[in-house]
Amino acid sequence: MSPLLVFFLVLPLLLESKAKAIEAGDNCSLITHQITGKIGGAINYSSRLGKEQKVAMEMAVEDYFRSSCSKQLTLQLEDSGGDSSTVASATTELISSKQVQSIIGAMTAQETGLFSEVDMNMKNIPIISLTSPAITPPSMPHQLPYFLQMSNHITLHMQCIVDIVGHFKWRKVTALYEHKNGFSAYSGIITLLSDKLKVVNSEISYHSDLSSLSSISNPEITIEQELIKLRSKSNRVFIVLVSSLELAILLFEKANQMRMMEKDYVWIVTDEIASLLDSVDSSVVNNMQGVIGFKTNFARTRDTFKRFKSRFRNKYGSKYPEEEEYSNPSIFALRAYDATWAIARAMEKSQGKITSKELSGNILSSNFEGLSGTVRFENNVLWQSPSFQIINVVGNSYRVMAVWSPKFGFSQSEEKYNGATANSSLKSLGPVYWPGGMPSTDPRGWAISDADIPLKIGVPAMGAFKQFVRVTFDQTQNATCVTGFTINVFEAVVKRLPYNLPYVLVPFYGTYDEMVEQVYRNGLDAAVGDTEIMADRFQYVDFSQPYVDSGLVMVVTQKSETSQTTWMLKTFTKKLWLLMIAMHVFIGLLVWLIERGNNTEFDGIGTMLWFSVTIIFYAHRQPLTSNLSRLVLTPWLFVILIVVASFTASLSSAMTVSRLEPSVLDIETLQRTNAPVGCNGNSFIVRYLINVLLFKPENIKKIDSIHDYPEAFETGYVKAAFFVEPHAKVFLGKYCRGYTKAGPTLKLGGFGFVFPKGSPLAFDISEATLKVIESGELRQFEELLSSSNCTSQRTAIDTSSLGLEPFAGLFILSGTIAAFGSLVAIFRLGRNVHILSYIQTELTRRRIWRWASFQLSRKCSTKETSSTQAC
């Protein structure tokens, strides 16, 4: 074997041996520059999160040593415990005693700022916070210039929550957050979330401040008491904004025991909990069935992550054998690993001793591909292209429903952030398994709880129109009865709700504006009545879908005015008169032409004119001998019959019947004459007349009952009355004669039910109201309302001239037949005149005519001679 061949065979073995030596650290003698430094870690050893971070940081130092032979890069760890005092003690110990150059830990910006006031060294050392989400107080860049946060900013979490709430159209939510370490650092999240929820027309109805488990003596009782308080409220959408895994486990365990993980409940968890679901046992998952949440999305298919995951599971299992089965690394372990590498790489950039400013600057300039993604900082906060997986806990684990990003919203996967898949709804990505199973519809987000008392709904007891709301006292049952059109509609609407709505109707003795104000001030839970939807009322309350359209109507008395249409020619329009004359003359001329040759009664023009006159009264004496003339005249006689009857009726009504007209034509006349006007003194109409229509207050008379209006008109107390349109219909229907509408109807919003601002019940009632309208049930109520009115309704008498339209068919029929008759008459006339002359001329030219004439005269002479001889 040649030496060259042996060399090539042995070379791979030498290279493999060299690689193993390098991996084992045997190549450190080849490194000319070795970094020295101490990295501190303040980690909570007792929490699942702290355990993962501790293992990940240790692995990061080991891996960095293998790659750079930095034997003097050490990791100093201290247990931060679960409260602020322990965190402060651990941090001080790391800085003062162990002389670390940088710290990685789970301290917040507010905690660090407070500690720095006591220990000034904290301001001069780079600190990387692993808390999630990242919160940046306005004073942080000046107070803590070297404080960095290894997590996504809080605004991204809030935006994702808002998109979920907005998608399902929940109007109110309840927020829960853990009051960590005795500080209120996270209370600002409530304000931030509240501001962002306004974009999707939602709000925080209640927020619960939960103390951390380490600060309370009996966590189970405390959590149970808080859940009882939440269950007593109507809202059913709960968002766990900030919580440790340990608190969340206890929270859902108690919620499950108290049957708050059943139908109608909604629970949303954020990244802090959702990203740790791979690290909990099946009992925790069973207690969280139906929960939805979002977790940070990262590349789980990369080889680097797969190798890290395998090593992490082995090391974590060896350290914590009781949790070996659930030892998958979360995003927080990856960030702890990347943070350690970021500090080590920053130390490596400097030769010799490095200052805190230089080290912090080197960390901020980091830009490398870590396990959690690209590690780069902007404004002291980790900057990564963020995306969240939207998850739904079901079965023994969870299913990923969508991927969310702030730019593209919901999508099926992160590769489909364009085209039709961008901003797709969660419904299109599969069913959602809510607590209690998968219902046919999404939860409304609220319900009537067992502890809820019936809704106190106000009804106007002093309305002028009792047909809409009537409040009476039943002495036999010793109870107040509320009836009327509006009550019937509301009861039908409530029956259409998909849940039971307990309520009690409370008579309200005041104006409509005062009743609306009571709803605004929570004196009433809602108001039901003939309440007008007004723009100024919308500032304080919400209204349902209007169940009746409305407008402002002016009603006045009627005055009788004898008709001045005494000239009979105005009975018909000018066009109809001209057509009648033309057709009459044409028909007379046509009959004359047809009958003229064979009927001696139609000899002259005068006969034709007289025939045209007498035929109107059916007094003509000339007999008709031609069937064609009878055909032409018959439809025309029918036309004359109908037209004369209509003429007689129209002329009679125009000359004998009085016409009813409004006594006042418009609002301007009332204002110009300072005429007094009446209206319901408890309604909005009073201020509408003053503020909008500019009536003088002293000219507005308040009338309390529908029955008082006729007397007010008769005595001259008012010259006009203003009603909303539904009330006007009732009044004019009840008092059928003597009153009428005048002027235009001013459009208003309609009658609606009143609810507090932001009430989710307003949306459900509106939907049910539309169902009542579309089903025709509302129309039945309206018919019952109008059936109580008098039956002898006023009819408007139209004295305008009759036009051609009612008789168009008759004229077309008669005209068609007349045209046909005229063609036949013309043909006959032409035949008699022209054709006979032509035949005679031809026979004369050929001497046939002369021969025929001679023979005819000879035959006649022979007959005469024979007759004489016979005699």
Side-chain angles (χ1 to χ4, degrees):
M1 185 177 295
S2 66
L4 185 60
L5 180 58
V6 173
F7 173 77
F8 281 108
L9 291 174
V10 175
L11 180 60
L13 299 176
L14 294 175
L15 293 176
E16 182 178 358
S17 175
K18 182 63 175 179
K20 292 181 179 180
I22 293 175
E23 186 174 350
D26 295 339
N27 64 327
C28 293
S29 59
L30 302 178
I31 304 298
T32 59
H33 171 63
Q34 295 183 2
I35 64 170
T36 59
K38 294 180 179 181
I39 301 176
I43 303 299
N44 183 2
Y45 289 176
S46 61
S47 69
R48 168 70 193 209
L49 188 62
K51 293 175 183 178
E52 288 192 15
Q53 291 169 342
K54 181 176 181 295
V55 172
M57 292 171 66
E58 291 172 350
M59 290 177 61
V61 172
E62 293 173 3
D63 292 347
Y64 195 83
F65 168 71
R66 289 192 184 96
S67 65
S68 64
C69 292
S70 179
K71 293 184 178 180
Q72 298 187 31
L73 177 63
T74 58
L75 177 65
Q76 302 289 334
L77 296 177
E78 290 288 335
D79 185 6
S80 66
D83 56 71
S84 296
S85 58
T86 311
V87 172
S89 175
T91 305
T92 302
E93 176 69 17
L94 290 172
I95 296 175
S96 302
S97 301
K98 300 189 177 180
Q99 300 293 314
V100 298
Q101 296 168 286
S102 182
I103 296 177
I104 302 173
M107 64 283 293
T108 65
Q110 190 174 12
E111 287 175 332
T112 306
L114 182 61
F115 298 158
S116 65
E117 298 297 327
V118 179
D119 188 353
M120 296 298 294
N121 292 326
M122 289 191 182
K123 291 184 178 181
N124 302 318
I125 186 172
I127 297 177
I128 298 182
S129 173
L130 298 178
T131 57
S132 178
I135 302 175
T136 55
S139 60
M140 193 187 76
H142 305 285
Q143 186 180 9
L144 301 171
Y146 305 140
F147 186 84
L148 292 80
Q149 300 188 76
M150 193 74 177
S151 58
N152 291 320
H153 200 267
I154 181 64
T155 54
L156 296 174
H157 292 232
M158 296 300 104
Q159 187 175 344
C160 185
I161 293 173
V162 168
D163 283 356
I164 294 174
V165 172
H167 169 78
F168 292 106
K169 298 180 181 179
W170 293 316
R171 296 292 173 256
K172 290 187 176 183
V173 300
T174 297
L176 296 84
Y177 68 95
E178 182 179 358
H179 207 168
K180 289 187 175 182
N181 299 330
F183 285 91
S184 59
Y186 294 95
S187 60
I189 296 179
I190 299 298
T191 303
L192 178 62
L193 179 60
S194 179
D195 292 340
K196 288 188 174 295
L197 283 173
K198 294 177 182 178
V199 178
V200 294
N201 195 26
S202 183
E203 64 177 349
I204 298 175
S205 63
Y206 179 77
H207 64 89
S208 178
D209 182 0
L210 303 174
S211 299
S212 60
L213 295 181
S214 60
S215 63
I216 51 180
S217 57
N218 198 328
E220 292 190 4
I221 295 179
T222 302
I223 295 298
E224 188 172 336
Q225 290 175 347
E226 189 63 32
L227 288 176
I228 292 174
K229 187 187 303 183
L230 296 179
R231 190 176 59 183
S232 67
K233 301 182 182 300
S234 59
N235 184 56
R236 290 292 182 265
V237 180
F238 303 109
I239 303 175
V240 184
L241 288 176
V242 177
S243 171
S244 63
L245 178 64
E246 291 71 26
L247 177 62
I249 291 174
L250 180 60
L251 176 68
F252 285 107
E253 180 183 350
K254 288 299 178 182
N256 197 27
Q257 293 174 1
M258 297 174 62
R259 305 184 67 179
M260 294 179 67
M261 298 298 295
E262 296 183 356
K263 184 180 178 182
D264 292 333
Y265 283 89
V266 176
W267 290 88
I268 302 174
V269 296
T270 58
D271 186 36
E272 194 172 14
I273 304 301
S275 288
L276 291 173
L277 290 179
D278 291 319
S279 306
V280 297
D281 58 34
S282 58
S283 62
V284 176
V285 176
N286 290 335
N287 288 331
M288 297 178 64
Q289 293 295 299
V291 172
I292 60 175
F294 59 91
K295 56 183 295 187
T296 301
N297 188 31
F298 60 90
R300 294 173 173 80
T301 59
R302 292 190 307 173
D303 293 337
T304 53
F305 172 75
K306 291 179 179 179
R307 290 193 296 268
F308 172 82
K309 178 180 178 180
S310 177
R311 294 170 50 225
F312 180 90
R313 287 177 59 87
N314 293 333
K315 187 164 186 176
Y316 190 93
S318 62
K319 277 184 171 290
Y320 311 103
E322 69 280 2
E323 302 179 20
E324 182 178 5
E325 185 178 356
Y326 308 100
S327 56
N328 291 318
S330 67
I331 182 65
F332 308 111
L334 306 186
R335 286 173 179 167
Y337 182 93
D338 290 342
T340 307
W341 265 80
I343 295 175
R345 290 168 65 96
M347 290 178 175
E348 188 179 10
K349 291 182 180 179
S350 301
Q351 298 287 341
K353 189 176 181 180
I354 184 173
T355 64
S356 296
K357 183 177 182 180
E358 291 175 340
L359 181 59
S360 177
N362 291 342
I363 297 174
L364 287 174
S365 63
S366 299
N367 189 353
F368 64 93
E369 196 66 28
L371 292 175
S372 63
T374 303
V375 178
R376 184 158 63 92
F377 293 90
E378 283 191 8
N379 298 322
N380 289 25
V381 177
L382 179 67
W383 187 93
Q384 291 177 338
S385 181
S387 64
F388 295 118
Q389 290 181 334
I390 308 300
I391 66 168
N392 182 203
V393 179
V394 57
N396 295 324
S397 184
Y398 59 85
R399 55 180 290 266
V400 178
M401 296 190 299
V403 175
W404 178 91
S405 71
K407 185 176 181 180
F408 299 103
F410 299 111
S411 177
Q412 290 182 337
S413 66
E414 56 187 334
E415 290 82 12
K416 297 181 179 179
Y417 281 157
N418 51 53
T421 59
N423 294 311
S424 60
S425 67
L426 288 176
K427 289 183 180 179
S428 64
L429 305 179
V432 180
Y433 293 84
W434 300 105
M438 186 179 63
S440 57
T441 59
D442 294 326
R444 297 180 308 275
W446 76 284
I448 303 299
S449 65
D450 297 336
D452 280 340
I453 60 176
L455 296 179
K456 187 168 62 174
I457 300 179
V459 294
M462 301 175 62
F465 289 81
K466 305 301 182 183
Q467 293 85 348
F468 288 85
V469 178
R470 179 185 297 273
V471 178
T472 58
F473 183 78
D474 189 347
Q475 294 182 350
T476 59
Q477 298 182 1
N478 193 26
T480 300
C481 298
V482 184
T483 57
F485 170 77
T486 299
I487 304 304
N488 293 338
V489 174
F490 181 71
E491 289 175 349
V493 168
V494 170
K495 291 179 181 178
R496 299 271 180 171
L497 293 174
Y499 50 86
N500 179 45
L501 181 66
Y503 66 90
V504 57
L505 298 178
V506 179
F508 183 81
Y509 296 90
T511 66
Y512 285 80
D513 285 337
E514 291 171 347
M515 184 173 67
V516 171
E517 184 180 359
Q518 282 298 307
V519 176
Y520 168 67
R521 299 187 181 281
N522 297 323
L524 294 171
D525 297 317
V528 170
D530 46 349
T531 311
E532 191 70 43
I533 299 175
M534 303 292 294
D536 56 351
R537 290 174 175 172
F538 254 117
Q539 300 176 15
Y540 308 102
V541 295
D542 282 345
F543 285 90
S544 68
Q545 170 78 19
Y547 61 90
V548 171
D549 293 333
S550 179
L552 191 64
V553 176
M554 183 176 75
V555 175
V556 298
T557 57
Q558 294 174 329
K559 64 178 181 178
S560 298
E561 179 179 323
T562 303
S563 177
Q564 301 298 319
T565 313
T566 57
W567 178 235
M568 65 177 182
L569 290 180
K570 292 186 179 180
T571 305
F572 288 161
T573 61
K574 183 178 180 181
K575 182 185 295 186
L576 183 57
W577 278 117
L578 292 176
L579 183 61
M580 283 287 297
I581 294 172
M583 282 291 292
H584 202 66
V585 172
F586 175 70
I587 296 295
L589 177 61
L590 181 58
V591 172
W592 177 75
L593 288 175
I594 296 172
E595 295 288 333
R596 175 175 172 274
N598 301 321
N599 195 337
T600 58
E601 298 290 338
F602 288 88
D603 286 340
I605 299 297
T607 304
M608 183 268 292
L609 294 176
W610 180 246
F611 175 79
S612 300
V613 174
T614 57
I615 199 174
I616 297 176
F617 309 101
Y618 298 93
H620 54 285
R621 296 182 178 179
Q622 296 86 347
L624 301 179
T625 60
S626 174
N627 290 331
L628 181 61
S629 60
R630 294 189 184 101
L631 178 64
V632 171
L633 188 60
T634 298
W636 181 243
L637 289 175
F638 186 69
V639 172
I640 291 175
L641 175 65
I642 300 300
V643 172
V644 169
S646 300
F647 177 84
T648 303
S650 180
L651 184 61
S652 299
S653 66
M655 297 184 67
T656 62
V657 180
S658 296
R659 187 168 55 182
L660 302 177
E661 293 185 349
S663 59
V664 181
L665 296 179
D666 50 37
I667 295 175
E668 289 74 16
T669 302
L670 295 172
Q671 294 173 328
R672 187 174 60 253
T673 59
N674 282 328
V677 298
C679 67
N680 182 3
N682 293 320
S683 74
F684 75 98
I685 301 179
V686 176
R687 56 187 173 87
Y688 190 91
L689 293 177
I690 297 174
N691 300 331
V692 180
L693 299 183
L694 303 179
F695 276 88
K696 296 180 180 178
E698 59 270 18
N699 291 337
I700 300 175
K701 309 300 180 183
K702 299 178 180 180
I703 300 177
D704 298 329
S705 173
I706 184 177
H707 307 291
D708 297 335
Y709 284 96
E711 182 180 353
F713 276 112
E714 292 173 3
T715 60
Y717 185 63
V718 296
K719 296 296 182 183
F722 286 90
F723 304 98
V724 288
E725 192 169 13
H727 291 172
K729 290 180 180 179
V730 172
F731 178 78
L732 295 175
K734 185 175 183 63
Y735 299 99
C736 303
R737 297 187 182 275
Y739 306 96
T740 186
K741 292 195 296 185
T745 299
L746 305 177
K747 188 65 177 176
L748 297 174
F751 289 174
F753 306 122
V754 186
F755 298 94
K757 201 71 176 175
S759 171
L761 186 59
F763 179 82
D764 289 351
I765 290 291
S766 295
E767 185 178 3
T769 301
L770 290 175
K771 293 179 180 178
V772 171
I773 295 174
E774 294 171 357
S775 67
E777 195 172 358
L778 179 64
R779 183 62 182 172
Q780 296 175 7
F781 294 139
E782 291 176 341
E783 291 174 354
L784 291 175
L785 180 65
S786 61
S787 64
S788 61
N789 300 335
C790 59
T791 56
S792 56
Q793 298 292 333
R794 298 171 288 114
T795 56
I797 299 174
D798 187 5
T799 58
S800 59
S801 301
L802 287 173
L804 177 61
E805 290 78 9
F807 315 107
L810 295 175
F811 275 100
I812 291 173
L813 176 62
S814 179
T816 302
I817 296 175
F820 172 75
S822 65
L823 292 176
V824 175
I826 291 172
F827 175 76
R828 287 180 176 178
L829 181 62
R831 184 184 63 182
N832 293 336
V833 177
H834 298 289
I835 296 177
L836 293 177
S837 282
Y838 173 76
I839 294 173
Q840 184 179 357
T841 302
E842 288 295 318
L843 291 174
T844 303
R845 185 173 64 83
R846 300 187 182 186
R847 298 181 180 181
I848 298 175
W849 179 261
R850 184 178 299 176
W851 176 82
S853 300
F854 173 76
Q855 293 294 331
L856 183 60
S857 62
R858 183 179 176 182
K859 184 179 292 188
C860 290
S861 298
T862 303
K863 288 182 178 181
E864 290 177 0
T865 302
S866 300
S867 298
T868 302
Q869 291 176 356
C871 293

